Amino acid sequence: MSVLMWAVLALLGGLAVVWVGGRRAQPAREPLPEGVELPATARQRAAWGARGAGLLLSGGAAAGVIVNGPDRTYEDDGVRLLFTALVLAAVAAAAGVTMWAKRPGAKAGALDERDQAILAQAPAAQAVAVLVTLAIWTVGLTERFHGAGAVPVFYLYLLFWSCLLVNLLAEPVGILAGYRRS
């Protein structure tokens, strides 16, 4: 299996762990009456946006590496800068919801008990998701480069960015899972 497939598997595995962990970390809610739904909160809409933008931008970066190959992406300055710009934009999009939700200038009554409980539980699966991502990368890189005895530098670059993005995307996923269960 190619290293790029391991990278995609690492991202998908990390996101799956985040979703399952976020869902399991939230307490069960009382059922709403039939036909009644709670409206989406501002934090919930921000989490949807952060998750969507983060996945779109990181998917674009991953597609660029798959199309160009890791060697060309690393050696060609233009391709590498585009990859880095996409990854940094994904980091900004994914981290934006965290910064917005926990900003110091928020109104005193902006967070009710439900919001506070969800924000407290949202990062519950981040560590597990990063560990799963690292495990997938470690197995993939070890299998691919066992005979070479060393891992090319660019793959370590990919490992870092994928772990960072999985960590940052875990919080919006946790927020969405919390609102879904509350």
Side-chain angles (χ1 to χ4, degrees):
M1 188 181 273
S2 77
V3 173
L4 293 176
M5 291 306 296
W6 282 107
V8 170
L9 186 60
L11 282 172
L12 293 176
L15 291 173
V17 168
V18 167
W19 183 255
V20 170
R23 299 254 328 173
R24 296 192 67 139
Q26 300 297 325
R29 66 177 177 167
E30 293 181 28
L32 292 173
E34 200 169 311
V36 174
E37 260 190 59
L38 293 175
T41 67
R43 277 164 195 76
Q44 192 175 9
R45 289 188 302 272
W48 275 108
R51 188 190 72 163
L55 287 175
L56 181 70
L57 291 165
S58 60
V65 172
I66 291 169
V67 167
N68 293 306
D71 294 331
R72 180 167 180 238
T73 303
Y74 182 65
E75 293 168 2
D76 186 339
D77 289 341
V79 176
R80 189 174 64 248
L81 289 174
L82 178 62
F83 169 79
T84 305
L86 284 171
V87 169
L88 289 175
V91 166
V97 71
T98 302
M99 291 185 282
W100 181 79
K102 297 177 182 177
R103 70 189 185 281
K107 295 182 216 169
L111 288 176
D112 61 12
E113 296 83 19
R114 175 179 167 219
D115 293 332
Q116 290 172 350
I118 289 169
L119 287 175
Q121 291 294 325
Q126 283 177 300
V128 174
V130 170
L131 287 174
V132 167
T133 303
L134 280 171
I136 293 170
W137 267 110
T138 301
V139 169
L141 291 175
T142 302
E143 289 297 317
R144 171 65 173 90
F145 297 108
H146 179 70
V151 175
V153 172
F154 185 68
Y155 291 101
L156 300 178
Y157 188 68
L158 292 175
L159 185 146
F160 167 74
W161 285 117
S162 65
C163 287
L164 180 64
L165 285 171
V166 164
N167 185 46
L168 290 174
L169 288 170
E171 189 157 18
V173 170
I175 289 171
L176 292 173
Y179 279 110
R180 184 175 172 94
R181 292 190 64 157
S182 67

